[in-house]
Amino acid sequence: NLFLRASESRDYVTNTVFLGINSSGSGQNPPDTMGAVGPNHFVELLNGLNNTKNTLVVYDKAGTLIAQTNTLAFFSVQDSGTNYPTGTAVVDQRILFDPQAQRWVASALDGTSDQVILAVSNGDSPTNLDTGWKRYLVRVHRDNSFSDIPTLGLDANGIYLTALHIGLINSDNNGHTIVALKKPEIYQGTNLSTRLEVTNDLTSWTIQPA
């Protein structure tokens, strides 16, 4: 396949095709398909039925299954004496590979507490799904609303999360929470973040950090 860039042209040949998680492996409709590619691995991350199925799967680039777990276990974290996720609903997962820092970044919404959980890998390998990642609770809950459709982005300076807030009574757009986390501090285990609370000034229901 030929892809053209602004400053160069190069031939890319794709000769590896393999099956990822199928519908029975997710059990959720829609599965909210999500994946990311790093130097040596492809990570697939899906919604799962009650989060009991293996919906986070790591393959090498030949398609060999390397590691797998369910999102309930993967996004497990303790914050201020409370274990999160607080229920069995872990939804709206996102995952990115940070090529500048050679790290993996994943996020998901705890559907019971309405908070976002962020996971960052300790290095360029995502395969140790237990101790090879650090998890952080990112508080986005807003009273009289439920959180939905969290999004994830990053650049050279930070990691950015957003969450939509929907009114409990009329399902109105009650605005967004935007959180910026500093790099490389977050990769070194220090959560330095800035929050921006947007009320109803944006007409969009979903915003994506670019």
Side-chain angles (χ1 to χ4, degrees):
N1 298 320
L2 179 64
F3 293 82
L4 299 179
R5 298 182 181 180
S7 60
E8 65 174 326
S9 62
R10 183 182 301 174
D11 288 329
Y12 293 86
V13 178
T14 301
N15 56 13
T16 301
V17 177
F18 59 91
L19 182 66
I21 305 171
N22 59 28
S23 58
S24 63
S26 169
Q28 186 73 20
N29 186 19
D32 289 349
T33 53
M34 177 62 59
V37 178
N40 302 300
H41 301 92
F42 168 66
V43 180
E44 185 179 9
L45 180 57
L46 304 183
N47 275 346
L49 184 62
N50 294 324
N51 302 103
T52 58
K53 297 191 175 185
N54 291 324
T55 50
L56 193 154
V57 180
V58 181
Y59 304 94
D60 66 18
K61 289 193 173 181
T64 303
L65 177 63
I66 303 298
Q68 59 184 339
T69 189
N70 63 74
T71 50
L72 195 64
F74 178 76
F75 285 105
S76 177
V77 66
Q78 187 177 82
D79 185 273
S80 301
T82 300
N83 293 320
Y84 295 87
T86 54
T88 59
V90 182
V91 297
D92 294 339
Q93 299 90 341
R94 309 278 179 169
I95 188 165
L96 296 170
F97 180 73
D98 183 349
Q100 295 173 323
Q102 296 290 295
R103 301 290 187 105
W104 297 81
V105 182
S107 65
L109 177 67
D110 176 3
T112 304
S113 69
D114 262 2
Q115 310 289 17
V116 168
I117 300 170
L118 178 73
V120 296
S121 69
N122 295 334
D124 63 358
S125 174
T127 58
N128 184 343
L129 299 177
D130 184 13
T131 59
W133 295 68
K134 292 184 177 68
R135 284 88 174 170
Y136 304 90
L137 187 75
V138 181
R139 298 183 180 276
V140 298
H141 171 74
R142 187 180 294 178
D143 291 342
N144 301 315
S145 301
F146 69 88
S147 305
D148 199 10
I149 322 176
T151 58
L152 173 68
L154 55 83
D155 64 10
N157 300 307
I159 298 170
Y160 309 95
L161 297 158
T162 78
L164 167 69
H165 302 290
I166 301 176
L168 295 177
I169 298 176
N170 298 319
S171 298
D172 294 334
N173 181 343
N174 283 352
H176 302 79
T177 295
I178 303 170
V179 182
L181 301 104
K182 291 186 68 176
K183 292 188 342 185
E185 286 82 356
I186 190 68
Y187 293 143
Q188 297 171 348
T190 303
N191 183 356
L192 299 180
S193 62
T194 300
R195 297 168 57 90
L196 173 65
E197 297 291 344
V198 182
T199 55
N200 57 356
D201 296 330
L202 294 177
T203 58
S204 173
W205 285 75
T206 306
I207 54 178
Q208 171 63 52

